Amino acid sequence: MDVDKAAAVISAAGIELTDRRRNGTDDGWSLSFSNGAVVEVRDNGEISASGKGAEAVASLLGLPGKSA
């Protein structure tokens, strides 16, 4: 999944995108959302979610579940 698709899926669920920038290693994008989630979308297609709202976002993207 590319960065635009990931942002669209999450935004369509009513979670506002608050920031989008290249990550620190310049090998992908870092997306921040209003629920506290941060989604990393690497140029090679790898996706990960972290932060307070990570579980909700991971579910929307079909990522493996996170344990609290």
Side-chain angles (χ1 to χ4, degrees):
M1 180 178 304
D2 69 21
V3 66
D4 293 324
K5 173 85 174 177
V9 167
I10 298 166
S11 295
I15 302 171
E16 181 183 355
L17 177 67
T18 58
D19 189 39
R20 172 183 171 153
R21 65 180 72 192
R22 291 295 287 181
N23 64 16
T25 55
D26 198 31
D27 65 353
W29 292 91
S30 180
L31 306 175
S32 298
F33 292 91
S34 59
N35 72 343
V38 176
V39 175
E40 296 287 332
V41 182
R42 292 192 171 72
D43 294 337
N44 67 5
E46 292 179 18
I47 300 176
S48 62
S50 62
K52 186 175 181 180
E55 286 187 37
V57 169
S59 176
L60 291 169
L61 297 175
L63 300 177
K66 307 266 182 199
S67 58

